[in-house]
Amino acid sequence: MPGSTWERLRESYDAVADAYEATFGDELAAKPADRARLAAFAAAVGDPVVDLGCGPGQVGAAVRDGGRSVLGLDFSPAMARLAAARLGAATAGDLRALPVRSASVAGVVAFYALIHLRREELATGVAEIARVLRPGGRALLTAHEGEGTVATEDFLGAGVPFVATLLSLDELVVAAEASGLGVVATDRRPPLPQEHPTVRLTVELVRPA
């Protein structure tokens, strides 16, 4: 995949932000297992929680509904603005260099955010998550399973490109352990009928106390 497509990904998400919110803003209503996992995560951590790759804030809102204070962070400024309206606080930032102090957050959720890193950048992104977690803090990460990348030149019908890295559970676990994080749980599930047809991966991690 040409580097130019990766470099245009931020502007692509800016271009589709409203359409993305209309399409996915209420997606968790039809995903009871994801809602239950997010509720359990919220109950297991303290404040604050950072929602990385927050999009319009639907995942962070589920964590907030579990009683947590949530900050949204997305590399698309347009997405961050939508998330701010839903979460009360969100900002634009890069997963490879988070604008968050070291050891300052109790939890991180990153639903399908790591897929927007090149494969060789995965370790950097996970290391940043480890850096910002305080001792005892937890992270809940999800990704699409597979090899290589998926791409389109017409993301959500807007005529803009999209590219994502497909990952394996082993890749996520290796990156986490290399960053000093412990693995609490892993999960693979088949796609729901309304989802893109890829197996969903979930990894819950903890920064040792």
Side-chain angles (χ1 to χ4, degrees), residues 46-132:
D47 290 325
V49 173
V50 178
D51 178 9
L52 300 180
C54 62
Q58 74 275 21
V59 171
V63 176
R64 179 205 57 203
D65 291 347
R68 301 275 66 89
S69 171
V70 178
L71 169 68
L73 191 145
D74 200 281
F75 71 161
S76 160
M79 286 291 197
R81 285 192 292 271
L82 292 175
R86 191 178 298 218
L87 300 176
T91 188
D94 193 320
L95 182 57
R96 297 164 297 185
L98 296 174
V100 180
R101 288 185 295 106
S102 297
S104 64
V105 303
V108 168
V109 289
F111 269 42
Y112 310 106
L114 294 170
I115 63 171
H116 290 314
L117 298 177
R118 295 176 175 89
R119 179 165 271 100
E120 61 269 23
E121 297 172 327
L122 175 63
T124 298
V126 176
E128 275 294 277
I129 291 170
R131 178 184 66 79
V132 303

Side-chain angles (χ1 to χ4, degrees), residues 147-184:
E147 299 178 354
T149 60
V150 293
T152 180
E153 291 299 316
D154 190 22
F155 186 27
L156 291 180
V160 294
F162 169 95
V163 61
T165 301
L166 301 176
L167 297 166
S168 71
L169 197 56
D170 283 348
E171 285 180 289
L172 291 170
V173 169
V174 167
E177 292 179 340
S179 298
L181 297 174
V183 178
V184 175

Side-chain angles (χ1 to χ4, degrees), residues 187-200:
D187 182 60
R188 298 173 70 253
R189 71 161 175 83
L192 299 173
Q194 72 272 24
E195 292 180 322
H196 186 77
T198 54
V199 170
R200 267 47 180 187

